[in-house]
Structure formats: structure tokens, C-alpha cells
Amino acid sequence: MPVIKYPRIRDPLFYEWDRKAQKCGLRHTVYSVNGDQYTGEWLDNLKHGKGTQIWQSTGAIYSGDWKFGKRDGYGSYSIPDPVTKEYKKVYTGWWENDRRGGRGMLFYSNGEHYDGEWSNGLRSGWGKMHYKDGSTYEGQWLTDQPSGQGVLRLPNGNRYEGCWKDGKKHGPGKYFYPEKGQLLEGVWAEDIPKCGVLVDLDRADAPAPTEFPLPKIELRDPAGVLAEAQAMFGDSHN
């Protein structure tokens, strides 16, 4: 009997092309249509592992960890200076789902910087903010605002220790005036002290104390005060 040979069945060429196009493992620089470029590790055609991304539109660079196409893990984000073209670090720390999440340090364009915890790209948790006027706030944050317990230190040495809400002093707190040697302890509402007691504190060692010391408050027995009042005014009502 004659032997009939059939041609070996081959997959269509586009199957092979598609297989080769799927990026997996370490790759050299891959350029996107918009000009962005990425060098690093891939998994199932997604950035995954260690890698560096450069955005064509801004020139910004991210170098660090990726997870399924998003920045996730530890990494650093930098942008070029518009004048010198040298790269300035903007954020270094942890990322979650392409946003700042965890512990990290952010450098603002006006010279301020924040070192602390993040959640969904916002300052949340415990952190310290350095402001351009020289003051600092260290304490709790919630959705990018001081909220909870915290300490604000001003350039002149004054400081506030106490409760915060939505970025304002709110609740019980203490305001120290080291230069005068005084302390205001009371309750604040939206940055305004509503009630409290002002007392001298280390006034003798203060650089610029007030001219006269604050009188001390004497706490007396209410029964004794009532007895004195009755003895003084009792006859006049008869």
C-alpha cells in the first residue's frame, strides 16, 4: 500500500507573533506609542518586579517596585528641574496600588517636606511636616490634615500640644510661651481658645518675662466663703 504523508499541522503565524509579543521576565527598554519608556521586569505583559519608567510628557522618572502594572512596593519618583534639567527627588518610600501608601518622604516644590505615613496618596497616620516658615508639626494625620494628637512648634519657640481636627487646634490643649515663661491650658475650637487658664511657668528663667507675675488663684472652701458673706451682709437684710 502506498504511504500517504500529510503535512504537519502548524499554528497560524499570528499565534507565534502573539506569543513573542507577550512580555515576561527581564526586558530591555520597551517604548510605548506615546513615547514613555520602561526598563525592567514583566509578568504576563504587565510591569511586575523591579523596573524604571520614564514619562515622555513630563520627563519624570519612577524607579522601584511594580505589581501587575502599577507602582507597588518601595520606589523613588523624581522630576527634572525646569531650568537646570537636573533631577529632583519628589517622593521616596512605599507605594500601594499606584499611590503613596505606607512610610515615605515627600518634598514639595516650595521647600517644605513631610516624613511619615500615607494612605491612598494622602498623609494619614503619624508624621512630621516641615513648613517653609520654619515651623513643624509632628503628630497624627487624617486625609492630609492634622487630626488627633500633635505638637506644633513655631520659629519663635512657642508651641502647642494637644488635640487637632481638620488641620485646626480643636479640643483640650496647652500653649507654651517660653519667652514669657507662661502657659495657657484650656480648650480650643477651630483654632480659637474658648476657655482656659493662663499661668506663669518658669518665669524666672524666661528671656522676656512679663513686668508683673500673674496672681495665684486661691482655692477656698465654699462653706467658709458663704459664712463670711453672711457675717458681713447678714445684718443689713434684717
Side-chain angles (χ1 to χ4, degrees):
M1 269 184 85
V3 178
I4 300 176
K5 294 183 177 180
Y6 294 96
R8 188 173 60 180
I9 299 176
R10 295 178 178 271
D11 292 331
L13 283 178
F14 67 83
Y15 280 15
E16 180 68 13
W17 296 339
D18 185 65
R19 185 186 64 79
K20 290 183 178 181
Q22 297 302 310
K23 296 177 283 294
C24 189
L26 182 63
R27 287 293 186 103
H28 295 299
T29 303
V30 176
Y31 294 88
S32 302
V33 177
N34 61 3
D36 296 347
Q37 48 185 294
Y38 172 80
T39 305
E41 297 176 300
W42 298 78
L43 179 64
D44 296 334
N45 214 33
L46 294 173
K47 302 161 192 166
H48 191 89
K50 301 287 185 182
T52 299
Q53 167 96 8
I54 302 177
W55 285 267
Q56 173 67 23
S57 59
T58 61
I61 292 180
Y62 170 80
S63 182
D65 296 326
W66 297 78
K67 188 175 180 180
F68 301 118
K70 295 182 179 181
R71 292 169 290 186
D72 200 296
Y74 190 85
S76 179
Y77 179 81
S78 304
I79 60 174
D81 185 275
V83 179
T84 64
K85 304 303 180 182
E86 295 182 358
Y87 276 91
K88 300 186 301 181
K89 193 169 292 185
V90 176
Y91 176 78
T92 299
W94 293 91
W95 301 73
E96 293 177 355
N97 197 29
D98 220 32
R99 294 182 178 183
R100 294 184 289 270
R103 182 68 184 267
M105 181 177 291
L106 178 69
F107 299 89
Y108 296 86
S109 58
N110 60 1
E112 299 179 346
H113 68 275
Y114 169 82
D115 183 7
E117 297 176 312
W118 299 80
S119 180
N120 293 322
L122 302 176
R123 294 167 290 185
S124 292
W126 190 271
K128 186 175 184 178
M129 182 72 188
H130 299 258
Y131 298 96
K132 60 182 179 180
D133 64 356
S135 59
T136 62
Y137 169 82
E138 183 173 8
Q140 295 175 303
W141 295 75
L142 182 63
T143 58
D144 233 27
Q145 295 287 351
S147 292
Q149 294 289 325
V151 179
L152 175 67
R153 291 181 171 86
L154 302 177
N156 61 5
N158 294 349
R159 74 180 187 275
Y160 169 82
E161 300 178 4
C163 296
W164 296 78
K165 183 180 179 182
D166 299 330
K168 297 180 180 180
K169 297 182 275 295
H170 194 88
K174 298 178 180 179
Y175 201 104
F176 295 85
Y177 301 88
E179 187 173 353
K180 296 182 178 180
Q182 292 182 329
L183 163 66
L184 174 61
E185 184 172 3
V187 177
W188 274 254
E190 296 184 347
D191 259 352
I192 300 175
K194 292 297 184 178
C195 62
V197 177
L198 183 66
V199 297
D200 287 330
L201 183 69
D202 298 330
R203 183 175 180 276
D205 299 327
T210 55
E211 184 177 357
F212 302 104
L214 292 172
K216 293 184 179 180
I217 300 175
E218 295 185 6
L219 298 178
R220 302 182 61 186
D221 182 15
V225 175
L226 180 59
E228 289 183 10
Q230 289 176 342
M232 185 178 298
F233 302 105
D235 296 338
S236 62
H237 294 286
N238 292 332

